[in-house]
């Protein structure tokens, strides 16, 4: 009987030991699950915070664009449906700055690298001022024709000229292999406002760089030079090179929808 009791005690002791081990393993697993849950909740909270920031930023950006668009529409009385902005075209906040500068400076010659919606908007501004003209360079023949149709639809052909300038070999140093055909810019002198929004980067890196060496020397001393899409690394590099290679040039950076860099030379004291 003693032996049987002793065996039973040993079995119960072993069973108790196994139960304790199981409880320890369960507690350890529960601890791991708890830690994992805490980490997931922390990650979720971080994602929610970031999402809230993104949504707030997007809402604020949308508000800025709507506000700028209201200002722009108050300045023109269109004779046909106006072309859309953003996407490939200038964003409303950037165009509002350009329109403001056109009103203030009243340039005799505005040159655009890249044509489209901005050609029409600026055309109305120049026509209302009663002075100046716009020359828009376009590398895509179909798009050039489409912009010309827009210009005629809005009866702006007296102030807006769209020049088809296909991409051809460019002979400059440390730049793209192609740029607008320079034979079409020979008569452009005294540019008061230069808007660089093309050609697209599909032609290679630094696609817009040649506008510096080719068109800056054709600008008036008090000209304003604008480079769109400065949120992209390629355009920022172009902007830095222009600043480095043109002594006395001053840059102002605008954090618009797609960012815009403005350049000018200060008036001598």
């Amino acid at each position: 009987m003693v032996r049987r009791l002793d065996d039973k005690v040993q079995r119960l002791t072993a069973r108790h030991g196994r139960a304790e081990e199981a409880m320890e393993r369960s507690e350890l697993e529960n601890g791991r699950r708890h830690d994992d849950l805490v980490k997931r909740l922390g990650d979720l909270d971080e994602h929610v915070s970031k999402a809230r920031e993104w949504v707030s930023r997007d809402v604020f950006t949308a508000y800025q664009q709507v506000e700028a668009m209201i200002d722009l529409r108050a300045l023109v009385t269109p004779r046909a449906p106006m072309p859309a902005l953003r996407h490939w075209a200038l964003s409303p906040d950037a165009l509002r700055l350009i329109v403001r500068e056109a009103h203030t400076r009243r340039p005799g010659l505005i040159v655009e690298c890249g044509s489209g919606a901005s050609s029409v908007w600026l055309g109305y501004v120049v026509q209302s001022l009663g002075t100046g003209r716009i020359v828009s360079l376009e590398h895509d023949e179909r798009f050039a024709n489409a912009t010309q149709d827009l210009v005629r639809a809005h009866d702006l052909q007296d102030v807006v000229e769209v020049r088809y300038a296909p991409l051809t070999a460019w002979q400059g140093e440390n730049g793209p292999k192609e740029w607008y055909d320079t034979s079409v810019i020979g008569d452009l002198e005294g540019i008061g406002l230069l808007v660089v929004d093309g050609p697209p980067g599909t032609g290679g890196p630094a696609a817009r760089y040649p506008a510096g060496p080719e068109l800056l020397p054709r600008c008036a001393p008090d000209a304003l030079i604008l480079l769109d899409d400065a949120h992209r690394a390629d355009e920022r590099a172009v902007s830095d090179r222009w600043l480095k290679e043109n002594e006395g040039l001053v840059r102002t950076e605008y954090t618009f929808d797609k960012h815009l860099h403005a350049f000018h030379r200060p008036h001598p004291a």
Side-chain angles (χ1 to χ4, degrees):
M1 183 181 293
V2 171
R3 285 196 298 272
R4 286 198 300 272
L5 288 173
D6 188 53
D7 290 342
K8 193 170 184 178
V9 169
Q10 289 180 2
R11 288 196 299 273
L12 288 172
T13 301
R15 187 181 299 173
H16 178 69
R18 290 195 295 273
E20 284 187 336
E21 291 177 0
M23 288 181 64
E24 290 177 357
R25 287 196 299 272
S26 178
E27 289 176 357
L28 183 62
E29 181 62 26
N30 287 338
R32 291 198 190 98
R33 290 178 180 176
H34 176 268
D35 292 342
D36 182 58
L37 181 59
V38 170
K39 183 179 183 301
R40 290 185 180 185
L41 286 173
D43 292 342
L44 179 60
D45 185 60
E46 183 180 353
H47 289 320
V48 170
S49 296
K50 288 182 178 179
R52 187 181 294 112
E53 291 177 7
W54 294 334
V55 170
S56 297
R57 185 167 59 246
D58 288 345
V59 169
F60 182 65
T61 298
Y63 171 79
Q64 287 181 312
Q65 301 313 310
V66 171
E67 184 181 50
M69 196 68 192
I70 292 172
D71 288 345
L72 288 170
R73 291 306 297 259
L75 293 173
V76 302
T77 303
R79 291 180 281 267
M82 293 296 285
L85 298 174
R86 300 189 80 180
H87 192 49
W88 293 112
L90 288 165
S91 57
D93 49 6
L95 183 59
R96 179 173 57 180
L97 171 72
I98 296 171
V99 167
R100 184 187 72 196
E101 292 295 337
H103 269 280
T104 302
R105 295 170 177 271
R106 296 177 178 260
L109 174 60
I110 298 175
V111 173
E112 291 187 295
C113 293
S115 71
S118 59
S119 308
V120 174
W121 285 93
L122 286 173
Y124 274 110
V125 173
V126 170
Q127 196 175 65
S128 68
L129 292 174
T131 181
R133 65 189 181 103
I134 301 167
V135 174
S136 301
L137 307 179
E138 180 54 57
H139 76 286
D140 187 304
E141 187 172 14
R142 289 178 300 175
F143 204 82
N145 291 334
T147 303
Q148 287 174 340
D149 290 341
L150 269 175
V151 169
R152 283 192 291 268
H154 288 269
D155 195 22
L156 296 169
Q157 58 271 26
D158 60 323
V159 292
V160 180
E161 177 189 358
V162 182
R163 294 187 182 182
Y164 171 51
L167 299 182
T168 59
W170 188 66
Q171 304 301 322
E173 297 181 359
N174 302 320
K177 295 180 180 179
E178 295 182 327
W179 193 65
Y180 298 112
D181 183 358
T182 55
S183 66
V184 306
I185 65 172
D187 63 327
L188 301 180
E189 297 291 344
I191 301 170
L193 182 59
L194 172 62
V195 182
V196 183
D197 194 23
T202 52
R208 299 179 183 181
Y209 168 74
E214 294 292 344
L215 294 177
L216 261 63
R218 298 177 177 275
C219 287
D222 60 346
L224 182 68
I225 300 97
L226 301 167
L227 175 65
D228 194 30
D229 300 310
H231 66 296
R232 299 191 301 218
D234 203 34
E235 272 66 29
R236 284 201 64 87
V238 168
S239 175
D240 291 341
R241 288 183 62 185
W242 287 356
L243 199 63
K244 181 180 179 180
E245 296 171 0
N246 294 273
E247 185 178 358
L249 204 62
V250 175
R251 177 174 66 191
T252 303
E253 301 183 20
Y254 295 94
T255 55
F256 293 149
D257 186 23
K258 297 185 287 183
H259 289 215
L260 183 79
H261 285 187
F263 303 85
H264 74 281
R265 289 185 172 88
H267 295 294

